[in-house]
Amino acid sequence: MLEQEKLEKIIKAYEDLGERLGDPAVLADQKEYVRLTKEYANQGPLASAAAQYVQDMKDLADAKELLSDADMKEFAQEEIARIEAGLPQLEEDIKFMLIPADPADDKDIIVEIRAAAGGDEAAIFAGDLYRMYTHFADDKGWKVEMLDAHPSDAGGYKEIQFKVKGDNLK
């Protein structure tokens, strides 16, 4: 079980961050505004999950109190079952979000694919890998920039290098 007090601090810090974004002094400092905007966007899912967890715990406590009321007992049991079924996954999600981000996550990636041994089949496979990576990048909303390519006569590439640009490259 997660500590509710820590989660409430996370929610409060997120709300404070939102208030700071409206501060005229922060708006005047473009560099600080951009930094706070990124931090606000990155902390949003954690704050939302924390708020959901806190609310679920309150709802669970309220439902347990209703168990003593004969008219509300069935509803309370359903509510308890629903909340208890979702809490373990929510806890795991929050624990995962609490892991500090790697500073390299905001940097671009350079990928190099070489055909190596295998002749034409290896070059075709290298081309397939390149297309797979570009489709994956497109799905994530990232941009792919070709740096260098040596095409093969049979199709594909003997060697290809490209850069992937975007946010949250993980």
Side-chain angles (χ1 to χ4, degrees):
M1 237 172 143
L2 299 172
E3 289 185 41
Q4 194 163 341
E5 186 177 304
K6 287 183 180 181
L7 295 177
E8 288 172 352
K9 285 181 182 178
I10 290 170
I11 297 166
K12 177 70 172 134
Y14 182 72
E15 291 169 354
D16 292 345
L17 190 58
E19 289 175 13
R20 286 182 59 200
L21 284 171
D23 184 3
V26 172
L27 292 171
D29 183 0
Q30 194 65 22
K31 199 173 190 178
E32 179 68 5
Y33 180 75
V34 168
R35 185 188 73 76
L36 288 177
T37 303
K38 283 184 179 180
E39 186 177 340
Y40 187 77
N42 290 337
Q43 293 299 320
L46 174 60
S48 177
Q52 179 66 47
Y53 186 86
V54 169
Q55 185 62 48
D56 282 354
M57 293 306 289
K58 287 179 184 175
D59 291 347
L60 185 63
D62 292 344
K64 286 182 178 179
E65 286 180 20
L66 289 176
L67 284 175
S68 60
D69 185 352
D71 295 335
M72 299 297 289
K73 186 174 184 175
E74 185 178 334
F75 170 76
Q77 288 173 335
E78 290 173 8
E79 191 69 7
I80 290 170
R82 181 191 64 80
I83 293 170
E84 287 180 343
L87 280 178
Q89 182 61 48
L90 187 57
E91 284 180 13
E92 287 302 312
D93 292 346
I94 291 171
K95 288 176 185 177
F96 181 75
M97 287 185 236
L98 287 171
I99 298 171
D102 186 344
D105 287 348
D106 292 334
K107 296 181 180 180
D108 297 337
I109 298 170
I110 295 177
V111 180
E112 181 176 329
I113 301 172
R114 294 176 183 250
D120 292 339
E121 290 84 8
I124 293 169
F125 181 68
D128 291 344
L129 278 177
Y130 171 69
R131 282 186 293 285
M132 178 191 68
Y133 281 126
T134 56
H135 288 299
F136 180 75
D138 287 342
D139 288 346
K140 293 287 189 175
W142 302 332
K143 303 239 185 283
V144 176
E145 176 186 321
M146 178 78 67
L147 299 176
D148 189 28
H150 300 280
S152 168
D153 294 334
Y157 297 96
K158 295 177 188 171
E159 178 181 332
I160 185 166
Q161 298 166 357
F162 57 96
K163 181 187 268 189
V164 181
K165 298 178 180 183
D167 293 330
N168 296 321
L169 297 172
K170 52 181 171 179

